[in-house]
Structures are given as structure tokens and as C-alpha cells.
Amino acid sequence: MKRLSMIVAMLFATLFTAQAQKIENIILLIGDGMGLASASMMQLENNYEPTIFDRADNVALQKTYSADNRVTDSAASGTALATGTKTNNTYLGVDPNGAPLESLFEVAKRNGKSTGVVVTTYVQHATPAAFYAHVGNRHEYAEITRQLVASTVDVAIGGGMAFFKECYGEDAESVADEHGFSLVHSLDEVAMLSGIEPVLAILADKEVGENTGSYLADATSEALRMLTNAGRYRGFVLVVEGSLIDGMGHGNDAEAQQREMEGFMQAIEVAVAYADSHPGTLVVVTADHETGGLSLVSSNSDFNLSEQGVEYRWTTDGHSGIMVPIYLYGTGAECINGVMENSELGATLKELVSK
């Protein structure tokens, strides 16, 4: 009898553990252009005191090349992360033959989950658009805008009002309303919304802007609040992009990239805190590619010195082909391991959303 009781207790414990480990929510944070050197730079700048990257429960690496190029652009890499399929550079949400691909957001919706996107650039930009749009060229901003308005995205926060005006003129608000969206233009307005109804928070004509301090963290917090309400029965998927890390890499500006990294890391802090207080939440932090070929090198070859200094050196003003990190936190962090294709990561996220 005692043995039977132990077996029953073990079965209940196993069942409880399995239930506890079910992933209800996924928060995917993408540092556009963020390579391992960018994260290393922030550790160095913090005098090697622990950063949010050091708090990861698990880490992995992804290869970023596209279907037609050894060095990817944001459209192809964003599509791989969003759909689990590699495509050609400049293609967005479609395969190399131009056929639409099912995205993580679409899988999430099919499983009753809510979806959202938060960016520091415009919401029609390549990486975020890969999760809801299907076009043959990433620069088809008017068509991407029309697809956003027609999508089932629940929350979108970022810039891009110029493209709404291009499509709809002064009728943007009424068109958004016809499709079930509230169109607002500030985070203060977002804070007044419950999240039960879909919202387009379009805060600037183009990019929200560089060096915006706590903007990305604040916007992430608001999106999580609204998605928690909207997806309270079945969960959600939120994509957050630190968009302008990439631009500072293109400009070979280490100090400016540090500021963008700081804003992105604050958003990661918000996401991890949410996961800590909401079991069933998986936080995935990665990049679409690395920009600038950043390296951290000794300022002096004499290693007998107590301190040689460190220099930030760039090797290109374009993208590079090096692997980028994946940091994992919370429920299911053990599910993503090793060295993988970016498309493998995208496919795994779709699979996790389907369970």
C-alpha cells in the first residue's frame, strides 16, 4: 500500500511538473544588428558586473545566412525567425519562390493566443513586418501597412505614421477603426487602454528615434499589460525589437550603440521580470544578424602590463556573417540548445506555440 501511494504521488508530481512547464507566453526580443561583441561590450562597460545577459537560464547560437546570400539582410533573417523558413534577401514573409509562409503570429492566433509587436523604428520595418506581412520586397511599405491594418495583431507600438498617411491620407483613423483598431499616438494614450480591443500606437512619422531612454522598456511594459488582458485565457506572443542597434553598427558608432543596447537591455529586464512573476512565460533574446563586424581588441600587445586598454574596432559598415547569440529565460528555456539555423529557431518557436 505504501509503495502504491508513492507511485501515485510520483505520477501526480510528474503531471504537476508537466503542467507547470507548459509555455503559455513567448516574449521574443530581437536586437537588430546585435552580435556577441555588442553584448560583450556592455559587460565590459559594466566592469563585468552581471548584466541581464549573464542572468540567462540557457544560451545557444544561431547562423544567420539567407537562402541566396552568405550575409543576410533583416528581411530574410526576420522571415526565418518569424516563419521557420530561410528566404532570399529583401523577401518578407514569403519563400524564395514568392509563396506566403505561415508566421509565428499566425500560428499563435490559430491556437487562440494574442500577438503584439514593439519597436524603436517603424512598425512596417523588415524585422517586425516579417511576423505579419507577406511581400516580395521589404520596401513595399504601403502594402505592408495595408496588411498590418488587415492583420489580427492585437498590439503594435512604434513609428510609421508617414506610411499610414501615404495609404489613407487623413482617413487613417477611420480605416483603423473599420478594422477594429484604436489608433493612438502616445504611450500616455496607450496607458489609458485596457487591451481588450486591438491597438495601433503609431508614435512617430518614421522611427520613434535613437537614444530614447526608457521608451522601449515602457512600451514593452504597456504591451505586456494589454496582451495579458487580451490573452488572459490562452496566452500571447510578443516581439520586441531594439531596432536602432543596427543603425549604430552601420555608422560604426560604439557609444551610440551602447545607448541603444542599454535601452534594449532595459526591455529585456521588463520581460524577464514578467516571466519571473508569470510562470509559463518563455523569454527569447537574440538578433537578426550582426552589423559592423565589431571586435573588442587590446590597445597594446604587451600583456605584461597590468592594463593594456580595450578598443572597439569595426570591420565593415554593413552586415557580417558571424553567428549571433540566443539567451533564454523562464519556462522552457531548456528547449532551445546548441548551434542552429535561424530558421530552426523560428520553427521551434512555432512548435512551442502549437503545444
Side-chain angles (χ1 to χ4, degrees):
M1 187 70 180
K2 183 176 181 182
R3 178 178 173 80
L4 179 62
S5 298
M6 289 178 64
I7 292 172
V8 170
M10 289 173 65
L11 286 172
F12 272 110
T14 301
L15 178 62
F16 178 79
T17 300
Q19 290 175 334
Q21 291 301 304
K22 184 177 180 183
I23 298 170
E24 300 288 350
N25 313 309
I26 294 177
I27 308 173
L28 173 59
L29 298 105
I30 302 170
D32 194 325
M34 181 191 76
L36 189 58
S38 298
S40 299
M41 175 171 64
M42 301 311 292
Q43 292 170 325
L44 186 150
E45 290 292 327
N46 200 44
N47 294 314
Y48 293 105
E49 293 295 320
T51 69
I52 188 61
F53 298 119
D54 299 289
R55 289 178 50 195
D57 298 319
N58 193 15
V59 294
L61 293 168
Q62 52 134 324
K63 294 175 276 187
T64 64
Y65 65 92
S66 64
D68 69 339
N69 201 305
R70 287 177 290 180
V71 179
T72 191
D73 77 336
S74 291
S77 56
T79 297
L81 294 172
T83 71
T85 300
K86 284 184 181 285
T87 194
N88 297 339
N89 284 358
T90 76
Y91 286 28
L92 195 61
V94 298
D95 70 15
N97 296 315
L101 295 163
E102 187 175 47
S103 75
L104 176 64
F105 278 10
E106 290 160 344
V107 174
K109 278 294 176 178
R110 195 173 69 241
N111 285 273
K113 296 183 184 294
S114 300
T115 59
V117 61
V118 175
V119 298
T120 48
T121 186
Y122 34 96
V123 294
Q124 302 92 335
H125 199 257
T127 306
F131 290 84
Y132 64 80
H134 310 277
V135 294
N137 190 303
R138 60 181 286 183
H139 301 298
E140 297 177 37
Y141 296 121
E143 177 58 24
I144 292 169
T145 300
R146 284 187 283 268
Q147 291 190 27
L148 172 59
V149 172
S151 76
T152 55
V153 172
D154 293 280
V155 179
I157 305 177
M161 195 63 202
F163 302 121
F164 282 87
K165 293 174 182 175
E166 179 184 341
C167 287
Y168 308 116
E170 298 302 316
D171 297 326
E173 188 167 342
S174 61
V175 171
D177 185 66
E178 288 170 10
H179 285 82
F181 286 100
S182 295
L183 179 60
V184 300
H185 304 289
S186 72
L187 283 183
D188 287 341
E189 291 178 275
V190 173
M192 298 173 64
L193 301 172
S194 67
I196 302 301
E197 298 298 327
V199 60
L200 296 172
I202 310 302
L203 313 182
D205 270 353
K206 287 290 184 71
E207 295 175 339
V208 176
E210 62 184 84
N211 194 21
T212 51
S214 66
Y215 156 73
L216 195 62
D218 295 340
T220 298
S221 181
E222 287 296 336
L224 287 171
R225 178 184 63 80
M226 289 188 289
L227 289 172
T228 300
N229 290 337
R232 60 192 182 281
Y233 301 118
R234 297 295 298 275
F236 62 81
V237 174
L238 173 63
V239 172
V240 178
E241 184 188 40
S243 316
L244 302 182
I245 297 168
D246 176 65
M248 305 316 156
H250 281 296
N252 291 178
D253 190 332
E255 288 187 11
Q257 188 174 90
Q258 289 168 28
R259 291 192 291 270
E260 296 307 313
M261 285 289 295
E262 286 169 359
F264 183 57
M265 291 165 68
Q266 289 174 22
I268 301 171
E269 294 273 5
V270 169
V272 171
Y274 184 93
D276 287 344
S277 60
H278 294 78
T281 300
L282 170 64
V283 177
V284 181
V285 179
T286 190
D288 51 354
H289 55 75
E290 195 274 346
T291 302
L294 177 63
S295 61
L296 283 61
V297 299
S298 172
S299 299
N300 192 306
S301 60
D302 183 359
F303 289 93
N304 293 314
L305 298 174
S306 60
E307 173 59 57
Q308 302 100 286
V310 175
E311 296 178 7
Y312 302 131
R313 293 183 185 171
W314 306 86
T315 59
T316 179
D317 59 3
H319 297 174
S320 73
I322 66 173
M323 291 187 292
V324 296
I326 307 167
Y327 301 98
L328 302 140
Y329 310 77
T331 301
E334 73 284 354
C335 295
I336 296 170
N337 297 286
V339 178
M340 65 187 67
E341 304 288 349
N342 51 9
S343 52
E344 288 182 76
L345 176 57
T348 300
L349 294 177
K350 288 171 67 174
E351 182 181 347
L352 293 174
V353 161
S354 300
K355 290 181 177 179

